[in-house]
């Protein structure tokens, strides 16, 4: 339970710092028999900053709950 909480906290912090990322994908533009033309296209994935905040707060709540359960 503690490991999941720590992972959620780390992912939440990372999502707050980086609100997205870009990667390059090779796409075929023309595929006419032996002639093939491709191009590199940049794709961007973004997420709202509050998603990272929700994961961060959820991880903290889970961590506190697991500590209370360990002492009882």
């Amino acid at each position: 339970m503690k490991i999941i909480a720590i992972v959620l906290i780390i992912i939440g912090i990372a999502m707050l710092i980086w609100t997205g990322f870009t990667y390059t994908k090779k796409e075929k533009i023309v595929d006419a028999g032996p002639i093939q033309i491709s191009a590199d296209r940049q794709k961007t994935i973004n997420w709202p900053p509050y998603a990272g905040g929700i994961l961060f707060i959820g991880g903290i709540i889970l961590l506190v709950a697991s500590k209370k359960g360990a002492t009882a």
Side-chain angles (χ1 to χ4, degrees):
M1 192 75 125
K2 289 181 184 179
I3 294 173
I4 294 171
I6 293 170
V7 168
L8 284 176
I9 291 170
I10 292 170
I11 292 173
I13 291 171
M15 287 178 73
L16 284 170
I17 294 171
W18 297 286
T19 58
F21 63 93
T22 303
Y23 66 95
T24 304
K25 182 179 180 182
K26 189 171 285 246
E27 294 182 355
K28 286 185 185 179
I29 297 176
V30 175
D31 189 7
I35 299 172
Q36 293 182 359
I37 300 173
S38 61
D40 292 337
R41 302 276 183 187
Q42 285 193 346
K43 303 283 183 173
T44 303
I45 297 177
N46 293 319
W47 49 80
Y50 63 82
I54 291 171
L55 287 176
F56 179 71
I57 292 170
I60 289 175
I61 291 171
L62 202 62
L63 188 63
V64 170
S66 68
K67 284 186 179 182
K68 285 184 180 178
T71 59

